Amino acid sequence: MSAGAARQGAAQALGAPALAMGATFLAFGAAVAEAGLSLGWALICTGAVYGMAGQLVLLQVAAGGGAALPATIAATAANARFLPMAVAIAPLLGRAGRRWWALPFIAITPWAAGMRVLPTLPEPARLPWFLGFALASWYVALLTTAAGHLAAPHLPAELRAALLFANPLYFCLLLAADARRPGVGPALLAGVLAAPLAYGLGGAWGLPLAGLVGGTLAFLWGRWR
């Protein structure tokens, strides 16, 4: 069952999720090349950070000649949203001793797919399915980062900017499809209302703080209802 579930997860990752995520990482690879940083830097950043908000913050600091420690702190803050995501999906991944394998791969695309699919699977198949999906997604991220870095001279700046929004748009469409599920609608509305806060604060802390405010409002609304 485990091998079959892992293959099933990988197969599902290599469809629409791979196209959406690949477009975003293609643009990231091109942006790294434009900043004058190496292909190795791009691959290490994608493989280790594996979160576009944190990667873009790290790229901005590195391209400006910033120090390593502030850059690492900024990237960590930008990806702080992965902590509540990990807490939410952890109960679906089985025993605590085994689900630690999934934590390095908690990112928007695997998380969104896991939250939709894992409750429908028998418990022994859940972690293998998630690891199959997540590893396939991770390899797609690495390959498209490399492709973007190599193809940078042929990608106009406007196209790169548009490609960066492909994966967030895909994620938004998934959420919109689940808007009628309990708690999803208020969370979407709270996120929209908190978006100006992220824009106003900017920097590494804008996104996690806006998420904290929006998520808290959605939680309080659900408790009140």
Side-chain angles (χ1 to χ4, degrees):
M1 177 182 289
S2 296
R7 286 194 295 269
Q8 182 184 9
Q12 293 187 28
L14 296 177
L19 291 175
M21 189 176 69
T24 301
F25 281 91
L26 186 77
F28 174 75
V32 171
E34 185 181 27
L37 299 171
S38 68
L39 174 59
W41 190 96
L43 292 175
I44 291 173
C45 186
T46 289
V49 180
Y50 195 42
M52 190 52 62
Q55 288 177 227
L56 291 176
V57 169
L58 193 60
L59 173 60
Q60 183 180 15
V61 175
L69 181 58
T72 302
I73 295 174
T76 301
N79 280 350
R81 68 191 187 281
F82 292 155
L83 177 59
M85 291 165 60
V87 171
I89 202 171
L92 300 176
L93 294 172
R95 298 196 307 269
R98 298 178 63 230
R99 63 191 181 208
W100 291 103
W101 292 101
L103 293 184
F105 304 105
I106 301 294
I108 286 179
T109 301
W111 181 85
M115 294 297 291
R116 291 168 61 90
V117 175
L118 293 179
T120 68
L121 299 177
E123 185 171 337
R126 291 178 180 178
L127 182 60
W129 183 94
F130 183 84
L131 289 176
F133 189 105
L135 282 169
S137 300
W138 188 68
Y139 282 118
V140 166
L142 290 172
L143 290 173
T144 51
T145 295
H149 194 280
L150 297 173
H154 309 290
L155 295 176
E158 295 79 5
L159 177 60
R160 294 200 304 268
L163 289 175
L164 279 174
F165 288 96
N167 201 43
L169 179 60
Y170 172 75
F171 181 63
C172 289
L173 291 175
L174 287 180
L175 290 176
D178 290 340
R180 294 184 179 276
R181 293 175 57 188
V184 176
L188 288 174
L189 179 60
V192 171
L193 294 176
L197 179 61
Y199 179 79
L201 291 174
W205 292 100
L207 187 61
L209 287 177
L212 177 63
V213 171
T216 301
L217 290 175
F219 174 78
L220 293 176
W221 173 262
R223 291 292 297 270
W224 181 76
R225 291 293 299 271

